[in-house]
Amino acid sequence: MAAGGPRLPDPVLFEIFLYLDHSDVLSVGLVCRQWRAVARDEFLWKELFYRYYRVSRDVPRHPAAVSWYEEFQRLYDTIPCVEVQALKEHNDQVLHLSFSHSGCLFASCSKDCTVKIWSNELDISLQHSSNMRPYNWSYTQFSQFNSDDSLLLVSGVFVGPHNSSSGEIAVISMENFTLLSRVRNKPYDVFGCWLNETNLISGNLHRIGRITSCSVLWLNNAFQGIESENVNVVKRLFKIQNLNASTIRTVMVADCSRYDCPDLLLDYEEQLAASSTCPVFDLGSDSEEEEAKPKQAPEPAVQELPGAGGVPAEHGLQQFFDDIMGGHMRPAMTDTELETKVAELFVRNRTKPPEPNLLPTDSNSKTKYLIFTTGCLTYSPHQIGIKRILPHQMTTAGPVLGEERRSDEFFDSLDHVIDIHGHIIGMGLSPDHRYLYVNSRAWPRDCVISDPMQPPPIAEEIDLHVFDLKTMKEVKRALRAHRAYTPNEECFFIFLDVSRDFVASGAEDRHGYIWDRHYNICLAKLQHDNVVNSVAFSPVEQELLLTASDDTTIKVWRSPRAVRIRQATRPRPRKLLFSWLMNQKS
């Protein structure tokens, strides 16, 4: 800071002030008078903010912040970084956590093959535990509540005949914890997800060649065991060809209806343009109050896959075979290269073209996106595929195999593909479904993949990418802090979660991490004794975060402010002597 400028506050006074409310500060005399002047000094707090958090000076203040001082206090006091409880009811690695939409319950999945339901009260307690071993499961790996919290989807690894492993999805009623239905899911890391209140998406995989396959995504009714025999309980959604040993995995659904009024705009220029029309939030609490309806932004240009339909592939395939038979192929192709080339030429003339306009035309659109990991060069997932689900596709009514297809529409094409150039190990949506956050481990910059069964080495650093699903563009530089150490063939999923203002992720370095979504800065590291597999914010209270680890524990973290509030509301035990004296008087 330039000589003669405002002097930074005394660190001790600073610590005291951040732990006091304004009403408390007004009663502490001299300290109060010093801090009333300091708190009004926007220049001082702006300088302190940029220096303390090492934020680039071209990053503006959070669009909902009232002052730099309030913003500094928010990041200092509302991060869930204080451990308040450790849950140790699992006896093996805890793999995944998910909250109900109301925030009253959450579920945990584990290598001990149970799914546990917890009650999120003042002190978290176990409400129910379901053991899936009687159904030949090896372990539970993922769970998700449906939109009204009446059903729980649980995904796990199923042991079939001759010890072959596949996946299975179970649906559990939250009313009495009974098992309603089970659906096969292949491969198991498709996980599965809800499309709406009563229908869920699963996967199946059909081998075509040694490194070529077909992924089929199915829509399933959750009440398969009790529906009428005259009503379909399954319907094929999409059928997509996979090249070079890749498969579709990690499916999730994004709702497009809120894209024009997100909780937080991440593009700084867009923030500035919408500053007078954005919803206003109290950044120190979780209450939201909308003051004005945002104007509908103009639709961006649509990014689509290159059109593959309409190319006369029959001629290309015939010419290719003629060249092989005539010995004109130079250099000679390996079996793998030959299979891939034939599959590419075949699918070019047997694939339904992409949707003409990927983006919804109005903010009230009921369109949803199916998002999943995929690839085209190797078996490790390195691309994100996006496929639009239209309203008439969101029910199991109609033909089981879906709409009638022409012979040249054997496969479905993807509407959009995002190439990550690295191994994808986690994905999560912002609460408004506008932004997609992706954990990945990068490949070397100029690597060449000659064998799909030997992907490039992956970096130890985990990059956290952010994509705007309205524009299909990356909108933030990749966040870094967390690390992973397993090689390609042992690489596993690390679940992340996004709240209104923060994003959190696990890591293999025995920590969970929290970043601020607006400033792109790491705010906290959360200690465990082993790999942190999953994190979950409460959907109604972002100052509450859960972390799950290979150390078999679930840790509960709250913000310093929330801890103080909870301690203030707890009744203080009366001292024994005082109680005895009061009894004597009576």
Side-chain angles (χ1 to χ4, degrees), residues 48-238:
L48 183 61
F49 187 93
Y50 282 125
R51 290 187 182 193
Y52 184 83
Y53 289 109
R54 299 178 181 178
V55 178
S56 173
R57 292 186 178 268
D58 60 356
V59 177
R61 194 174 67 194
H62 191 292
V66 176
S67 67
W68 282 106
Y69 161 67
E70 297 286 352
E71 190 67 348
F72 200 110
Q73 189 177 41
R74 176 180 75 89
L75 295 188
Y76 187 93
D77 209 24
T78 66
I79 310 303
C81 57
V82 181
E83 181 182 343
V84 295
Q85 198 173 356
L87 309 174
K88 301 180 179 181
E89 278 77 357
H90 283 290
N91 54 37
D92 207 335
Q93 301 169 4
V94 188
L95 302 180
H96 185 255
L97 299 164
S98 65
F99 267 100
S100 64
H101 295 81
S102 68
C104 297
L105 301 172
F106 69 88
S108 58
C109 295
S110 168
K111 281 286 185 74
D112 65 13
C113 207
T114 66
V115 54
K116 299 186 186 296
I117 315 298
W118 307 80
S119 178
N120 180 25
E121 297 174 346
L122 196 61
D123 284 317
I124 291 171
S125 59
L126 181 63
Q127 186 169 343
H128 178 77
S129 180
S130 292
N131 182 12
M132 302 305 291
R133 288 201 192 279
Y135 306 102
N136 290 333
W137 285 28
S138 295
Y139 56 89
T140 60
Q141 60 176 353
F142 175 83
S143 65
Q144 185 182 48
F145 288 84
N146 70 341
S147 58
D148 64 2
D149 296 334
S150 62
L151 303 173
L152 179 68
L153 176 155
V154 182
S155 173
V157 176
F158 174 85
V159 181
H162 311 294
N163 291 323
S164 63
S165 64
S166 183
E168 191 167 80
I169 296 171
V171 178
I172 297 175
S173 168
M174 288 293 96
E175 183 179 0
N176 50 17
F177 302 111
T178 56
L179 183 65
L180 297 179
S181 58
R182 293 160 58 198
V183 176
R184 289 296 170 88
N185 192 38
K186 185 178 180 181
Y188 61 83
D189 51 2
V190 168
F191 295 123
C193 65
W194 291 105
L195 177 61
N196 49 41
E197 288 183 7
T198 58
N199 293 297
L200 59 100
I201 295 173
S202 65
N204 201 355
L205 185 67
H206 303 282
R207 294 291 175 187
I208 299 175
R210 190 176 72 88
I211 58 170
T212 309
S213 64
C214 173
S215 288
V216 181
L217 297 170
W218 292 90
L219 187 63
N220 308 266
N221 193 300
F223 301 95
Q224 294 190 15
I226 56 178
E227 288 286 353
S228 166
E229 294 181 359
N230 299 320
V231 177
N232 284 340
V233 293
V234 296
K235 185 173 74 173
R236 187 174 67 192
L237 269 180
F238 304 116

Side-chain angles (χ1 to χ4, degrees), residues 245-261:
S246 64
T247 60
I248 286 178
R249 316 176 191 196
T250 319
V251 298
M252 59 178 58
V253 172
D255 187 344
C256 307
S257 61
R258 289 192 59 196
Y259 283 7
D260 288 333
C261 52

Side-chain angles (χ1 to χ4, degrees), residues 171-384:
V171 178
I172 297 175
S173 168
M174 288 293 96
E175 183 179 0
N176 50 17
F177 302 111
T178 56
L179 183 65
L180 297 179
S181 58
R182 293 160 58 198
V183 176
R184 289 296 170 88
N185 192 38
K186 185 178 180 181
Y188 61 83
D189 51 2
V190 168
F191 295 123
C193 65
W194 291 105
L195 177 61
N196 49 41
E197 288 183 7
T198 58
N199 293 297
L200 59 100
I201 295 173
S202 65
N204 201 355
L205 185 67
H206 303 282
R207 294 291 175 187
I208 299 175
R210 190 176 72 88
I211 58 170
T212 309
S213 64
C214 173
S215 288
V216 181
L217 297 170
W218 292 90
L219 187 63
N220 308 266
N221 193 300
F223 301 95
Q224 294 190 15
I226 56 178
E227 288 286 353
S228 166
E229 294 181 359
N230 299 320
V231 177
N232 284 340
V233 293
V234 296
K235 185 173 74 173
R236 187 174 67 192
L237 269 180
F238 304 116
K239 183 164 58 173
I240 298 167
Q241 188 191 45
N242 305 309
L243 301 176
N244 289 320
S246 64
T247 60
I248 286 178
R249 316 176 191 196
T250 319
V251 298
M252 59 178 58
V253 172
D255 187 344
C256 307
S257 61
R258 289 192 59 196
Y259 283 7
D260 288 333
C261 52
D263 293 333
L264 176 65
L265 286 169
L266 296 184
D267 183 271
Y268 298 138
E269 292 183 1
E270 196 175 357
Q271 280 182 14
L272 187 62
S275 60
S276 62
T277 58
C278 275
V280 176
F281 304 115
D282 172 10
L283 292 177
S285 70
D286 290 283
S287 61
E288 303 179 3
E289 186 175 344
E290 186 172 343
E291 289 193 352
K293 293 289 182 181
K295 296 177 182 177
Q296 184 171 337
E299 293 296 329
V302 179
Q303 296 185 3
E304 297 175 351
L305 289 176
V311 178
E314 303 103 325
H315 304 305
L317 189 59
Q318 185 61 52
Q319 183 64 50
F320 180 67
F321 286 140
D322 291 342
D323 290 343
I324 293 175
M325 298 305 293
H328 303 310
M329 295 299 296
R330 294 289 185 272
M333 302 181 74
T334 65
D335 291 346
T336 296
E337 292 170 335
L338 181 61
E339 180 181 329
T340 299
K341 185 66 175 178
V342 171
E344 287 176 342
L345 290 170
F346 176 79
V347 76
R348 193 177 297 171
N349 198 53
R350 293 290 184 271
T351 300
K352 186 178 180 180
E355 294 292 336
N357 181 21
L358 174 62
L359 301 176
T361 56
D362 61 87
S363 58
N364 296 319
S365 172
K366 295 182 179 179
T367 300
K368 297 183 179 182
Y369 293 159
L370 182 64
I371 301 171
F372 45 84
T373 62
T374 182
C376 64
L377 302 174
T378 179
Y379 69 82
S380 64
H382 56 276
Q383 293 179 324
I384 298 167

Side-chain angles (χ1 to χ4, degrees), residues 410-430:
F410 187 79
F411 296 110
D412 293 290
S413 62
L414 305 185
D415 295 326
H416 192 83
V417 171
I418 300 171
D419 199 300
I420 299 298
H421 194 74
H423 192 128
I424 299 170
I425 60 170
M427 293 198 302
L429 289 165
S430 60

